[in-house]
């Protein structure tokens, strides 16, 4: 598949150059010398279509969905080609992956963020002289009333985008070209490189405001990617979120087709995961907006910071405290916004910190199973199916919890009472199943104690 990608061209992404909140320009690289790729979307879609066909799916090109109505057999979807021919399909399940358009998503109810409005001004630069100053790097910069970035498309062309709020940056009668040039003049990092580039004709503007869905599932409908929720581009995680959401939507459909009795559980699983993922990405952006507010003092940033903090109230505090690292870490990666295997553990952060501190200062680890721990069935992802598996509950945490991030809490609770140090528990845990990093296990151990699944005994 990589060979096919090479055939339409790509440029390696070796990291970022970032100037955020008025600070100095810094360089961010991937861990252990790794790198990513910037690829042309049209070419990538051709590669993905080939992969889908090779897996046995039928790809019908040239048609767009125009109407959908429920039937006794599921959904009847009418599609129309550019030439005017019509085709109708009937399917028990429909995955809406139509992005911001939201062909079926709007039927389920879309909730725009009414506190912020974002418009993206997009253009392409062509290099006209000298070598590329930042080859293979994404450039990111905040300024008083917006932020901008530039991404290499190939060795001679870059895409450049400015994010503005029309309520605070009126465009008047400016053309998109004029407006984009005006925004770039507010930057320093991007403006420094502009003399070696020229803006190509064909700039455009597109909405980039945030929204979520009132519901992510309905009988026979599953929302995937931007059809369900649009996360702030600041997270640099939109593509990753879309792929993960699409994969999960496919798993939901497969599970319900093979086992109709699991329909309710599978839909509930997808609903919870998509809602939590959107809220966590939103909450994670609060720190970046706060930094920009302190530096620039403009409503563009302060309004976004307040809205992101409001979103933070919807997610577990310990997760909200660990935002995706970009633009402060590994470029375009960031921490996973939540475990795909469901059954997350929502525990107040102060309780987690207290448990962590007791474990940290203790000369040895002494814990036992909590007296109110019970098992309850909850939907969990296993391979390519959603299944019901026993999860943990307690008086302190009545909601079922099976994982914290990638740590299996049930396995952790079984093993912890039989060891006497965190390194010993880590070694035992990794021997008994899929391994995790030590910091990840220590955090999960603290969460398990705070949730009442484990009790720290005297001496620890």
């Amino acid at each position: 598949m990589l060979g096919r990608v090479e055939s339409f061209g790509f440029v390696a992404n070796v990291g970022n150059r970032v100037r955020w909140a008025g600070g100095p320009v810094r360089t961010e690289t991937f861990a252990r010398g790794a790198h990513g790729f910037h690829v042309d979307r049209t070419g990538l879609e051709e590669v993905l279509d080939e992969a889908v066909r090779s897996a046995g799916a039928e790809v019908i090109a040239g048609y767009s969905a125009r109407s959908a109505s429920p039937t006794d057999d599921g959904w009847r979807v009418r599609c129309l080609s550019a030439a005017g021919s019509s085709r109708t399909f009937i399917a028990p399940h429909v995955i809406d992956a139509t992005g911001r358009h939201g062909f079926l998503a709007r039927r389920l109810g879309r909730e725009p963020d009414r506190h912020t409005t974002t418009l993206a001004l997009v253009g392409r630069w062509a290099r006209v002289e000298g070598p590329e100053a930042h080859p293979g790097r994404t450039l990111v910069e905040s300024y008083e009333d917006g932020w901008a970035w530039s991404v290499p498309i190939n060795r001679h062309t870059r895409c450049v985008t400015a994010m503005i709020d029309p309520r605070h940056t009126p465009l008047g009668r400016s053309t998109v070209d004029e407006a984009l040039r005006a925004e770039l003049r507010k930057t320093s990092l991007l403006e420094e490189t502009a003399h070696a580039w020229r803006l190509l004709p064909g700039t455009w503007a597109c909405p980039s405001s945030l929204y979520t869905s009132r519901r992510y599932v309905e009988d026979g409908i599953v929302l995937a990617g931007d059809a369900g929720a649009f996360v702030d581009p600041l997270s640099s995680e939109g593509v990753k979120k879309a792929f993960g959401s699409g994969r999960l939507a496919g798993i939901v459909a497969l599970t319900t087709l093979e086992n109709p009795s699991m329909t309710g559980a599978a839909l509930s699983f997808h609903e919870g995961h998509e809602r939590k993922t959107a809220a966590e990405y939103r909450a994670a952006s609060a720190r970046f907006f706060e930094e920009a507010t302190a530096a620039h003092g403009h409503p563009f940033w302060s309004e976004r910071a307040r809205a992101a903090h409001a979103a933070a109230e919807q997610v577990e505090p310990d997760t909200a405290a660990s935002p995706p690292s970009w633009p402060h870490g590994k470029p375009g990666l960031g921490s996973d916004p939540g475990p795909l295997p469901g059954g997350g553990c929502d525990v107040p952060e102060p309780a987690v910190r207290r448990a962590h501190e007791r474990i940290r200062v203790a000369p040895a680890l002494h814990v036992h199973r909590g007296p109110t721990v019970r098992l309850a069935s909850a939907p969990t992802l296993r391979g390519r199916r959603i299944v019901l598996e026993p999860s943990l509950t307690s008086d302190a945490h009545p909601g079922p919890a099976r994982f914290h991030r990638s740590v299996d809490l049930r396995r952790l609770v079984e093993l912890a009472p039989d060891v006497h140090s965190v390194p010993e528990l880590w070694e035992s845990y990794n021997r008994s199943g899929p391994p995790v990093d030590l910091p990840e296990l220590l955090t999960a151990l603290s969460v398990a104690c705070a949730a009442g699944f484990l009790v720290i005994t005297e001496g620890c």
Side-chain angles (χ1 to χ4, degrees), residues 2 18 32 51 92 118 161 193 215 248 289 321 356 376 389 442 447 450 453 458:
L2 179 58
V18 178
R32 297 183 293 277
T118 308
T161 302
T193 63
R215 292 173 294 159
L248 180 57
F289 293 140
H356 179 274
E389 288 193 351
L442 178 56
V447 167
F453 304 150
E458 294 301 324

Side-chain angles (χ1 to χ4, degrees), residues 82-248:
S85 61
S86 176
R87 294 187 66 174
T88 299
F89 304 90
I90 297 178
H93 299 279
V94 177
I95 298 173
D96 186 349
T98 59
R100 184 176 288 271
H101 173 62
F103 173 62
L104 289 173
R106 295 179 186 274
R107 178 194 301 259
L108 274 62
R110 180 164 286 180
E111 297 182 329
D113 174 25
R114 303 191 183 280
H115 303 286
T116 63
T117 302
T118 308
L119 183 70
L121 308 176
V122 189
R124 295 196 176 200
W125 269 343
R127 184 157 54 87
V128 294
E129 63 179 59
E132 160 72 279
H134 307 284
R137 294 192 183 278
T138 298
L139 309 180
V140 184
E141 181 171 2
S142 70
Y143 53 93
E144 182 183 19
D145 57 344
W147 66 288
W149 80 91
S150 174
V151 177
I153 300 172
N154 54 46
R155 292 172 178 81
H156 306 287
T157 312
R158 278 180 168 269
C159 180
V160 58
T161 302
M163 308 293 285
I164 66 170
D165 189 331
R167 299 176 304 178
H168 301 305
T169 308
L171 297 178
R173 296 187 177 181
S174 300
T175 65
V176 177
D177 186 287
E178 292 169 341
L180 178 56
R181 291 179 187 274
E183 293 306 303
L184 295 179
R185 285 194 292 270
K186 299 176 183 179
T187 68
S188 59
L189 173 61
L190 273 68
E191 179 68 10
E192 286 172 7
T193 63
H195 69 276
W197 301 79
R198 64 183 175 89
L199 197 60
L200 297 174
T203 54
W204 72 94
C206 58
S208 194
S209 297
L210 308 185
Y211 58 81
T212 56
S213 291
R214 292 190 181 95
R215 292 173 294 159
Y216 292 82
V217 298
E218 193 178 81
D219 290 343
I221 299 177
V222 179
L223 306 186
D226 287 355
F230 183 76
V231 300
D232 200 299
L234 184 65
S235 71
S236 190
E237 298 281 347
V239 173
K240 175 182 175 181
K241 171 187 172 293
F243 273 102
S245 178
R247 174 176 177 264
L248 180 57

Side-chain angles (χ1 to χ4, degrees), residues 351-362:
V352 177
R353 292 190 180 279
R354 287 193 297 270
H356 179 274
E357 183 62 16
R358 290 188 65 188
I359 295 169
R360 187 185 68 83
V361 302

Side-chain angles (χ1 to χ4, degrees), residues 9-48:
F10 66 93
V11 57
N13 174 18
V14 298
N16 297 335
R17 291 272 164 78
V18 178
R19 186 171 189 265
W20 195 258
V25 176
R26 64 178 181 273
T27 299
E28 298 177 345
T29 58
F30 289 92
R32 297 183 293 277
H35 58 78
F37 294 99
H38 296 294
V39 298
D40 175 73
R41 174 179 167 179
T42 301
L44 178 61
E45 288 179 351
E46 292 175 0
V47 172
L48 295 176

